[in-house]
Structure formats: structure tokens, C-alpha cells
Amino acid sequence: MSLETINLWWATGFGLGLSPLASGTAGSLPGLPLAWWLLGRSVRVQVSVAAMLLLVAIPICHLASTTLGGKDDGRIVADEYLAFPVAVLGQTAARQPLVMAGAFVAYRVLDAAKPPPAAQLEGVAGGVGIVLDDTVAALYAWLLLAAAMALWRRRQARSAS
């Protein structure tokens, strides 16, 4: 097996990015167990591992892009599944399945919508641009999850008093 084949295997999310329907969503699925595992670690480890995952995603996506025609091909999903854990960093409530599912849905919607500056960052050349827009989507999802959890905690405190 060639290095190019191995890289494409990683880049396509172990084949999930080849899905004819919602390849980005299908390809994001490996990010769920990865995020779940990370949440069991200290915040320092979570941030360090997430940063390493993003750094590893850049050459994987860049090489796959070169192999597949030099653009952010829809089959390349390593950026999706390696950026998703950022959406739940330090948010222990995300260990609850419904909260994790909500974070995943928010991430996918924000990744598809590409609110500024995600759309502009997608234009950065190579693997950096491929990974940056997903990282911004994950950061926005993190903010939404943090706000939702703060509102929920406030509501719980009010009902307890």
C-alpha cells in the first residue's frame, strides 16, 4: 500500500467521505468518539491534543487535495473529524449523549453555513485553508454550547430557589 493510498484513507475519514449523501457529515462521525475520549482528560491535555490533531490535519488534507485535483474536494473529511473535538473542549456536559449530539449538529450546521470569517479562511491555499474554516466552525459551536450550558445552569439555579 502506497503512502498516497494511506493518506487518502485518513483524508477520506476511512472511506466515510466517499458517501454519496452528506459526505461531510458522514466524514465527521469519527470526531464523536475522539471528542468523547478527549473529554475524559484534563483540559490541558484536551487543548494540547486538539492542537496536535489540527496540525496533523493540515498535511493530510493538503496532500489529499493535491492528489484529488488541488482543491477542497468534498471527499476530504479529515478536517471535519479532526476539528470537531474543538467544539467540546473543556465542556464536561458534552459527555452526555444529547449534549454531544447537539454540539455535533451545531458544528455541522456552522461548517455548512460558513459564517465569517470561515468562508474567507477557506480561501487560504492548501491544507491550512481546508482546516481553518472547520476550526472556526468548531469554535463557533463551542461558543453556542457554552452559552446553552450557561443558560441551562442559570435556569436550574432559578428553579432550585
Side-chain angles (χ1 to χ4, degrees), residues 13-68:
F14 321 103
L16 292 170
L18 305 175
S19 171
L21 297 171
S23 62
T25 299
S28 295
L29 292 173
L32 286 166
L34 187 56
W36 190 274
W37 175 82
L38 267 181
L39 284 171
R41 310 295 170 254
S42 71
V43 173
R44 175 188 248 174
V45 170
Q46 290 178 43
V47 172
S48 298
V49 171
M52 286 189 292
L53 292 173
L54 294 172
L55 289 173
V56 165
I58 292 170
I60 289 171
C61 293
H62 182 79
L63 292 170
S65 173
T66 301
T67 301
L68 297 173

Side-chain angles (χ1 to χ4, degrees), residues 87-137:
V88 297
L89 288 177
Q91 302 203 42
T92 56
R95 292 281 284 184
Q96 298 173 28
L98 286 177
V99 176
M100 181 69 78
F104 185 79
V105 168
Y107 171 67
R108 291 305 307 139
V109 167
L110 290 161
D111 186 35
K114 302 208 183 313
Q120 293 78 7
L121 291 171
E122 189 177 38
V124 173
V128 173
I130 294 171
V131 174
L132 272 177
D133 71 300
D134 298 278
T135 304
V136 169

